[in-house]
């Protein structure tokens, strides 16, 4: 089948730079990847491979220079780029809780396949990647090799024209590595352009048509495997000495016959040197000179250079594990391509419809997480249940006297408990989002042609559903200890709606926390430190009137008090008190934090 060739190369990068604080990750990368090729990006840890791949996959913005994928600028036309690419990042971005099949079906839906197509394509890929037997097990039970294959399959749902593979075999056992290699070769036969990064010289040599060697954020050499080998000179002379003490002398003797600088070697009794002259003649001369100098040699031989030798020759050092040490800041130059601070594109009707589907798919996925982890829901209700019991039976007697006439404490307390439940649960929004960020799931979402807001909306809406469920459970617990709604069904529903809306607003705050601080634990800790005092300095448990004056001022204005009071008046009498202020808080928080989250999400990287 004749592939349609576009005149533009599959990837063109010109002078691409990227810094992280003081670290220069890319110091001006130029690269061209022809379409249909398997292109290898070879470099040690910290060389800048992942940064470059993330820029090409539209996950990071370059500071200077420009990059195009299949003729589309990665900064100017990220949506077009995302339509064409598949990305398998350095760390498998699979959803651990979902099964392999569910993972593929979810990503298929987000790639705009219909439900049936997604199902069919998922089954096909599971079969092809030898995952059919494990298809209905949670991905958390998969081995490293299986996860990689699932991750790779997730990138191939729509047969991308170009696939980025970031260290696809790092950390895999030889059998899994061979499976990945076979897949790469098959994709190449099918005409997919591949850009793969690797630290393994053997891998680049085996799999790729062309290799760029990258080190300290710069391409330091480029060519086919053989061209790179030729750079080292014809051959490599290797010898083992009988005594390591004679190493320096042996080196001097061999320099006289034309050998180059030896490669660094952890074994002192071994010498590996480039041998630029005709092999046989050289080995004869070398042997004669060594014997004349009285140097004992236990082994002497010539071999073709490996890519390791190429690296040693090009950089003067073996591919090391510490290439990622922070480097000096290069002089700050103008930042050529910056995204505007807050661009609010006006979506078309079709985009809105697709965005709603995306958000629904992500919501469904997050709700599945709750269903699969019932322990989370149980833990979420233990704490409010304990508060109910503690306050009704331990502190309730003391509080009763300060309540308005005729109000039972349990009736006062329960609406407050609804509010504190959603307030404490809001930190879970941050934890869930932070985990998705850490596990690379968000990267996969961001590299796909899906609505940008769907990830955030899917998270906050799922948490809204969960909050309503928790309020429902707390109502059941309340009824057991004597709580009753006195404002009829409309009053009860209105109380639930107010609390749920407040919880929804809090979810957006904590989504922003997760995007800003990164790390699930940090998000959780930050949340607790803020929520705990706010909940206690409010009318959740006791009327504000019982507090000292200075605290009353604060507690009266607190959105927690206002929401609790509004819910309480609906529950007690069916009529609102402080609804206006509560609604103003909720509306204000949403109006502030939704755009903040979207802005932060768009500008990640
Ligand atoms: N998000 C980040 N924040 C700070 N430094 C980073 C970040 N990502 C990468 N770096 C640094 O940039 C350099 C290049 O990293 P990377 O592109 O991951 O290299 P490679 O993938 O080749 O191992 C390293 O020094 C790394 O520590
Ligand atoms: Mg990397």
């Amino acid at each position: 089948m004749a592939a349609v060739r576009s005149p533009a190369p599959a990837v063109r990068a010109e002078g691409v730079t990227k810094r992280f604080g003081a670290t220069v990750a890319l110091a001006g990368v130029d690269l061209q990847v022809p379409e249909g090729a398997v292109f290898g990006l070879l470099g040690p840890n910290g060389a800048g491979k992942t940064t470059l791949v993330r820029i090409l996959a539209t996950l990071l913005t370059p500071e200077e220079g420009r990059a195009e994928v299949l003729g589309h600028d990665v900064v100017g036309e990220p949506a077009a780029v995302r339509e064409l690419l598949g990305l398998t990042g350095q760390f498998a971005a699979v959803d651990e809780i979902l099964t392999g099949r569910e993972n593929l079906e979810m990503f298929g839906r987000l790639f705009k396949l219909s439900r049936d197509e997604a199902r069919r394509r998922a089954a096909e890929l599971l079969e092809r990647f030898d995952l059919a037997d494990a298809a209905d097990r949670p991905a958390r039970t998969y081995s490293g090799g299986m996860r990689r294959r699932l991750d790779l399959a997730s990138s191939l749902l729509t047969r991308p024209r170009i696939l980025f593979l970031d260290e696809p075999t790092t950390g895999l056992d030889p059998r899994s590595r061979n499976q990945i290699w076979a897949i790469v070769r098959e994709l190449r036969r099918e005409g997919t352009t591949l850009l793969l990064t690797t630290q393994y010289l053997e891998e680049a040599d085996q799999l790729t048509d062309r290799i760029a060697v990258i080190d300290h954020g710069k391409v330091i050499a480029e060519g086919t495997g053989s061209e790179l080998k030729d750079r080292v000179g014809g051959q490599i002379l290797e010898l083992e000495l009988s005594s390591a003490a004679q190493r320096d002398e042996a080196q001097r003797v061999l320099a006289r016959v034309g050998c180059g600088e030896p490669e660094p070697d952890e074994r002192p009794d071994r010498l590996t040197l480039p041998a630029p002259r005709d092999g046989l003649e050289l080995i004869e001369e070398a042997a004669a000179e060594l014997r004349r100098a009285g140097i004992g040699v236990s082994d002497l031989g010539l071999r073709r250079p490996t890519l390791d030798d190429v690296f040693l020759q090009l950089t003067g050092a073996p591919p090391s594990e510490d290439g990622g040490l922070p480097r000096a800041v290069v002089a700050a130059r103008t930042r050529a391509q910056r995204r505007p601070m807050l661009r609010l594109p006006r979506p078309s009707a079709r985009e809105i419809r697709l965005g709603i589907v995306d958000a629904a798919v992500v919501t469904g996925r997050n709700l599945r997480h709750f269903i699969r982890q019932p322990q989370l829901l149980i833990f979420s209700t233990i704490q409010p249940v304990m508060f109910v019991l503690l306050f009704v039976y331990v502190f309730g007697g003391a509080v009763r006297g300060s309540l308005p006439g005729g109000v039972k404490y349990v009736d006062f307390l329960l609406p407050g408990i609804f509010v504190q439940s959603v307030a404490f649960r809001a930190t879970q929004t941050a934890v869930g989002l932070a985990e998705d960020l850490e596990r690379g799931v968000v990267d996969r979402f961001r590299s796909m042609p899906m609505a940008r807001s769907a990830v955030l909306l899917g998270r906050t809406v799922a948490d809204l559903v969960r909050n309503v469920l928790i309020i429902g459970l707390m109502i059941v617990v309340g009824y057991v200890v004597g709580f009753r709604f006195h404002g009829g069904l409309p009053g009860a529903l209105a109380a639930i709606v107010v609390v749920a809306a407040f919880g929804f607003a809090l979810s957006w705050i904590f989504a922003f926390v997760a995007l800003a601080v990164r790390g699930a634990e940090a998000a959780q800790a930050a949340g607790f430190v803020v929520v705990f005092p706010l909940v206690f300095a409010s009318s959740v448990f006791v009327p504000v009137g019982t507090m000292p004056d200075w605290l009353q001022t604060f507690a009266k204005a607190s959105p927690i008090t206002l929401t609790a009071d509004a819910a309480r008046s609906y529950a007690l009498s069916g009529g609102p008190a402080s609804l206006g202020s509560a609604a103003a808080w909720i509306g204000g928080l949403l109006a502030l934090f939704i755009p903040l989250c979207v802005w932060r999400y768009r500008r990640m990287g």
Side-chain angles (χ1 to χ4, degrees), residues 256-543:
R256 283 208 293 275
V257 299
C259 287
E261 283 288 301
E263 294 175 359
D265 201 319
E266 71 271 19
R267 278 182 54 184
D269 62 340
R270 190 167 59 191
L271 270 173
T272 307
L273 321 95
R277 295 196 298 132
D278 177 56
L280 264 184
E281 191 183 305
L282 177 101
I283 211 163
E284 276 171 17
E285 276 183 33
E289 287 283 328
L290 287 165
R291 193 170 23 190
R292 198 164 331 153
I295 294 170
V297 170
S298 56
D299 199 3
L300 179 66
L302 278 177
R303 62 169 171 79
R304 284 278 288 154
T306 66
L307 285 171
D308 268 313
D309 301 308
V310 175
F311 216 93
L312 286 160
Q313 211 57 34
L314 291 171
T315 68
S320 66
E321 288 296 308
D322 56 6
L325 289 177
R327 270 155 260 144
V329 195
V330 293
R333 275 175 282 169
T334 50
R335 304 195 157 192
Q337 297 186 345
R338 273 272 166 211
R339 280 179 208 172
M341 284 289 280
L342 182 57
R343 197 174 26 139
L344 287 174
R346 203 163 299 148
S348 68
R350 180 176 171 273
E351 283 167 344
I352 292 174
R353 193 164 41 77
L354 291 175
I356 291 172
V357 173
D358 288 344
V361 171
V362 178
T363 305
R365 172 253 179 182
N366 290 334
L367 287 175
R368 268 208 178 111
H369 280 208
F370 300 137
I371 296 165
R372 297 283 157 79
Q373 300 167 289
Q375 71 277 15
L376 282 188
L377 200 59
I378 293 168
F379 286 138
S380 301
T381 48
I382 282 180
Q383 180 255 357
V385 168
M386 288 202 313
F387 275 152
V388 169
L389 299 178
L390 195 65
F391 276 84
V392 168
Y393 296 114
V394 181
F395 303 129
V399 179
R400 197 174 304 135
S402 56
L403 293 180
V407 176
K408 281 197 327 190
Y409 181 59
V410 71
D411 288 340
F412 174 89
L413 177 66
L414 255 287
I417 291 289
F418 304 159
V419 177
Q420 75 90 30
S421 302
V422 302
F424 278 111
R425 277 323 97 202
T427 57
Q428 284 302 315
T429 305
V431 172
L433 189 55
E435 278 175 1
D436 281 352
L437 285 164
E438 280 171 355
R439 297 195 177 140
V441 177
V442 170
D443 268 0
R444 176 169 290 290
F445 286 145
R446 287 178 68 233
S447 73
M448 293 171 58
M450 63 183 276
R452 305 304 257 173
S453 49
V455 176
L456 299 168
L457 203 56
R459 164 69 51 192
T460 50
V461 170
D463 286 348
L464 174 69
V465 174
R466 182 209 50 190
N467 278 346
V468 171
L469 211 63
I470 291 176
I471 295 171
L473 282 169
M474 294 321 299
I475 292 173
V476 172
V477 172
Y479 267 70
V480 173
V481 296
F483 164 77
R484 295 292 179 268
F485 281 110
H486 298 285
L489 187 61
L493 290 178
I496 294 170
V497 167
V498 171
V499 179
F502 180 60
F504 188 61
L506 291 183
S507 282
W508 282 95
I509 300 183
F510 281 96
F512 183 70
V513 170
L515 292 172
V517 301
R518 298 287 171 97
E521 270 132 46
Q524 182 144 35
F528 190 74
V529 166
V530 175
V531 171
F532 198 85
L534 277 179
V535 163
F536 275 89
S538 78
S539 71
V540 160
F541 300 111
V542 296

Side-chain angles (χ1 to χ4, degrees), residues 143-210:
S143 69
M146 292 163 80
R147 264 170 217 241
R148 275 266 132 199
R149 296 204 300 281
L150 178 61
D151 196 29
L152 196 47
S154 310
S155 323
L156 295 173
L157 283 154
T158 49
R159 302 184 175 85
R161 271 174 67 196
I162 180 160
L163 181 64
F164 299 124
L165 290 175
D166 196 3
E167 299 202 23
T169 64
T170 300
L172 294 189
D173 58 79
R175 183 167 162 270
S176 303
R177 189 198 61 185
N178 288 341
Q179 282 176 318
I180 300 280
W181 282 16
I183 294 168
V184 168
R185 292 190 170 117
E186 204 176 307
L187 288 169
R188 178 178 194 278
R189 272 198 300 279
E190 291 170 5
T192 311
T193 306
L194 284 114
L195 174 68
L196 81 86
T197 80
T198 180
Q199 301 189 38
Y200 304 129
L201 310 162
E202 182 201 356
E203 182 160 276
D205 200 18
Q206 288 271 334
L207 290 183
T208 65
D209 304 305
R210 215 174 156 72

Side-chain angles (χ1 to χ4, degrees), residues 44-51 90-91 166-167 197 199:
N45 223 343
K49 304 181 295 297
T50 298
T51 305
Q90 186 164 0
F91 304 100
D166 196 3
E167 299 202 23
T197 80
Q199 301 189 38

